[in-house]
């Protein structure tokens, strides 16, 4: 499927996500590399699934870092999106 991607990919993962393990993240990144897709994969160790939405207050620093990744990826300046 990665070979069908036509745009760069930003993939943000929670390191303590029990549903998306490190093997799945590694396989996804390997597929992106093999397909020649421009990408950035970021994993936040210790962060659980939904750290960015339902648990953002508990994981404020990680959520802020992830948001900065998103803004950097889309080329926006912090505070403008």
């Amino acid at each position: 499927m990665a070979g069908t991607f036509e745009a760069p990919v930003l993939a943000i993962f929670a390191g303590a996500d029990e549903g998306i393990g490190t093997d799945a993240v590694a396989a996804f990144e390997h597929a992106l590399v093999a397909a020649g897709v421009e990408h950035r994969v970021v994993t936040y160790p210790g962060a659980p699934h939904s750290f960015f939405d339902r648990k953002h207050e508990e994981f404020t620093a990680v959520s802020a870092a992830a948001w900065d990744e998103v803004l950097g990826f889309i080329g926006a300046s912090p505070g403008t999106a």
Side-chain angles (χ1 to χ4, degrees), residues 21-38:
T22 56
D23 290 346
V25 173
F28 181 59
E29 185 163 24
H30 178 75
L32 293 171
V33 169
V37 176
E38 181 182 342

Side-chain angles (χ1 to χ4, degrees), residues 25-53:
V25 173
F28 181 59
E29 185 163 24
H30 178 75
L32 293 171
V33 169
V37 176
E38 181 182 342
H39 68 281
R40 177 160 168 75
V41 175
V42 182
T43 300
Y44 293 99
H49 186 82
S50 292
F51 76 89
F52 192 70
D53 58 2

Side-chain angles (χ1 to χ4, degrees), residues 48-69:
H49 186 82
S50 292
F51 76 89
F52 192 70
D53 58 2
R54 291 182 288 156
K55 298 179 181 179
H56 76 277
E57 289 181 7
E58 186 178 349
F59 294 91
T60 303
V62 176
S63 294
W67 185 239
D68 286 345
E69 287 286 345

